[in-house]
Structure formats: structure tokens, C-alpha cells
Amino acid sequence: MKVRLAGEIGATWRRELAAALPEAEWSDDDCDAEVAVVANPPPGALAAMPRLRFVQSLWAGVDRLLADPALPPGVPVARMVDPVM
């Protein structure tokens, strides 16, 4: 699985996720990525990921992601959940 931290998420997330997912390959190329970890990407940003199989949002709200016509059909989108939310 090739994972891409899309947008300006930062090195801290990559370091933490790499420790939790040692089997993952990290991609800096949108075309290779199968998993996108995003915060609030601009509309159309995921269209550059033709191999996309899964999107993990670091935000609780995913309405903007789901409303994006560039989101490939059938690609699951997960959001952050916290008992305080």
C-alpha cells in the first residue's frame, strides 16, 4: 500500500503514521498513492490520484470531501472520531 499525506499535513503526522504503519510505503507522488491522508484538501485535489482506494480524513467533518465531484466513485472515506465530539 502506498500512502500519500495530501496537502499541508506536516512531517509530524508522517513520522507518527510511519511508526504505526511500518509496512506502508510512503509516496510523494499523487499518481502512485493508493491511500490519501488528508485534512481539508481543495476541491479536485484527489483527482490527481488515479490509484486511490481509500481516504482518511484527519478532520471529523467530511462533507466537503464527499461533495467533491472529483472524488472517485466507490472510494471509502473515513473520518476522525473522538468521544468528546
Side-chain angles (χ1 to χ4, degrees), residues 1-7 9 17 21 26 30 33-81:
M1 141 178 75
K2 287 197 176 182
V3 180
R4 169 87 161 107
L5 291 172
I9 295 175
L17 289 170
L21 300 167
W26 295 89
D30 287 343
E34 298 168 292
V35 175
V37 179
V38 301
N40 190 26
L46 299 176
M49 300 180 172
R51 297 182 59 208
L52 193 61
R53 295 183 7 212
F54 180 78
V55 177
Q56 172 64 57
S57 174
L58 298 176
W59 287 21
V62 293
D63 296 342
R64 181 175 170 182
L65 274 171
L66 296 175
D68 186 350
L71 179 67
V75 172
V77 176
R79 65 183 180 89
M80 299 297 277
V81 177

